[in-house]
């Protein structure tokens, strides 16, 4: 006798659920297993939804052009054209020599980082901002990227809402969305110097609570800088609503004019409510060394420490040694000279780009970026950047990395390369304007 009991099997691989009798189960399961086994393995849906940086596509196109023997003027990537100062390289060389001679191991460090580096970072806040920081609150990370992953994971739960200004650094949104956090976009423009305000926050949130606000000053891609009063007003807004304030300060010390970026730690109560993230990549020219830091409020320290131990263990030991040396006065003198070069480059672009047709530019008071509104030239900034590269050899980036909704009408120029590169780029953009503006 056969007893026919209905069994429902759930959908897999996009196939609908099926109902079969128990006497059919062995044959069904065998064929079902074969069908599933033949399907290609794929990345998770969560990972598949994280977009690649469009700037990488420009870098590839520029590389292919160079490989074909054609010149490229690099204004696309935020990587300084000069590396870490010699003093820091010498410190890392001494450590490597000691390791080669068996006098040290350069192995794991404590997850929070080596003590000399944490002490040097704390001392730097006192020297540059007059702010007292306990070295115990400093966590050294594998670049600022790791600090964002650790901080966002520690502070926000799946389903929480976190506000960011757009345009903004794309990794904020991409990391948050990969963690299941709802991103609340605060559209900003030239009327507020491309920075969020309390009024914009109130309007965008529409009475719904958020768990965090991420602010960058100086910012990428616009290079704009919040005044001290504007920064403190945003922090006060967050404190009043019990919202974590995440301050991206990786472009600090790269400012032009009288307005200097202020650390969020200088705000009243900032040490308790603000997660401050910084890096050695930009001012210190250590992009490939992958070392950054966070000054972590007490409420996040246990969680971030546990996450660091499990996800990254520690930042590279040799990079930490170089980073500590990079904070010495010998390096600072060299690095200030490089900021002076960026200032000259900025002047060249701010004067020359309008002559080439880019008439609506961000204020670019810090970092080394200019964000250009090209809506009167094109509404397809990807195609525009391609034409510019093909016609002039100037590599620049579409705004779509930084603003998914309005970026098609914007282009970003980076000016951390050589002064000669900036001068030649302006000349070619101006002289070949009729060619690259053709649709």
């Amino acid at each position: 006798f056969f007893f026919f009991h209905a069994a429902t099997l759930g959908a897999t691989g996009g196939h609908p659920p099926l109902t079969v009798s128990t006497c059919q189960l062995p044959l069904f399961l065998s064929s079902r297993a074969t069908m599933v086994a033949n399907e290609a393995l794929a990345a998770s849906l969560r990972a598949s939804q994280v977009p690649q940086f469009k700037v990488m596509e420009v870098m590839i196109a520029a590389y292919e052009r160079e490989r074909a023997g054609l010149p490229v003027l690099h204004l696309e990537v935020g990587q300084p054209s000069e590396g870490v100062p010699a003093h820091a390289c010498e410190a890392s060389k001494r450590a490597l020599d000691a390791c080669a001679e068996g006098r040290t191991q350069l192995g794991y460090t404590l997850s929070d980082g080596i003590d000399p580096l944490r002490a040097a970072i704390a001392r730097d806040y006192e020297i540059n901002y007059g702010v007292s920081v306990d070295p115990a609150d400093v966590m050294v990370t594998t670049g600022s990227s790791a600090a964002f992953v650790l901080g966002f994971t520690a502070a926000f739960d799946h389903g929480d809402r976190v506000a960011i200004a757009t345009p903004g650094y794309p990794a904020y949104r991409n990391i948050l969305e990969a963690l299941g956090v709802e991103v609340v976009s605060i559209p900003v423009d030239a009327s507020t110097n491309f920075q969020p305000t309390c009024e914009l926050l109130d309007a965008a949130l529409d009475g719904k609570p958020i768990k965090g606000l991420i602010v960058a000053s100086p910012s990428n891609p616009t290079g704009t800088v919040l005044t001290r009063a504007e920064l403190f007003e945003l922090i006060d807004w967050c404190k009043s609503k019990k919202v974590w304030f995440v301050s991206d300060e990786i472009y600090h010390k790269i400012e032009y004019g009288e307005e200097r970026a202020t650390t969020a730690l200088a705000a009243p109560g900032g040490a308790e409510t603000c997660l401050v993230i910084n890096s050695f990549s930009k001012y210190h020219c250590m992009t490939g060394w992958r070392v950054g830091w966070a000054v972590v409020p007490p409420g996040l320290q246990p969680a971030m420490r546990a996450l660091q131990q499990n996800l990254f263990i520690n930042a590279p030991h040799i990079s930490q040694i170089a980073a500590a040396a990079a904070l010495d006065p010998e390096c600072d003198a060299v690095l200030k000279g490089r900021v002076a070069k960026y200032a000259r480059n900025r002047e060249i672009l701010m004067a020359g780009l309008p002559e080439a047709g880019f008439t609506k530019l961000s204020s670019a008071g810090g970092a080394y970026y200019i964000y250009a509104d090209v809506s009167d030239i094109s509404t397809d900034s990807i195609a525009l950047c391609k034409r510019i590269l093909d016609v002039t050899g100037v590599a620049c980036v579409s705004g779509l990395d930084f603003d998914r909704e309005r970026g098609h009408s914007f282009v970003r120029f980076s000016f951390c390369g050589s002064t000669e590169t900036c001068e030649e780029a302006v000349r070619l953009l101006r002289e070949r304007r009729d060619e690259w503006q053709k649709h």
Side-chain angles (χ1 to χ4, degrees), residues 30 34 58 108 118 124 163 193 226 240 248 251 282 328 379 387 408 424 438:
S30 175
T34 301
V58 177
Y108 293 130
R118 297 168 76 197
D124 196 62
N193 200 25
L226 286 165
S240 71
D248 179 350
Y251 293 101
K282 305 303 182 179
D328 288 344
T379 56
R387 286 201 306 275
H408 57 271
E424 181 67 1
K438 288 180 182 177

Side-chain angles (χ1 to χ4, degrees), residues 112 136-139 154 271 295-307:
D112 285 348
D137 295 336
V138 176
M139 172 178 284
V295 182
V296 186
L300 294 180
Q301 287 183 14
M304 283 188 66
R305 186 169 294 115
L307 288 165

Side-chain angles (χ1 to χ4, degrees), residues 8 18 50 132 146 197 236 271 276 278 288 302 316 322 351 367-368 415 420 438:
T8 301
L18 299 175
V50 176
S132 177
T197 65
D236 285 342
V276 171
N278 211 320
Y368 30 62
F415 53 87
E420 293 75 20
K438 288 180 182 177

Side-chain angles (χ1 to χ4, degrees), residues 24-35:
Q24 297 172 302
L25 276 175
L27 178 61
F28 172 84
L29 291 175
S30 175
S31 63
R32 188 72 163 175
T34 301
M35 180 173 62

Side-chain angles (χ1 to χ4, degrees), residues 212-235:
L213 170 65
I214 303 167
V215 171
S217 173
S219 70
N220 177 12
T222 63
T224 59
V225 182
L226 286 165
T227 66
R228 184 181 181 92
E230 290 167 343
L231 176 68
F232 285 13
E233 185 178 8
L234 289 170
I235 294 172

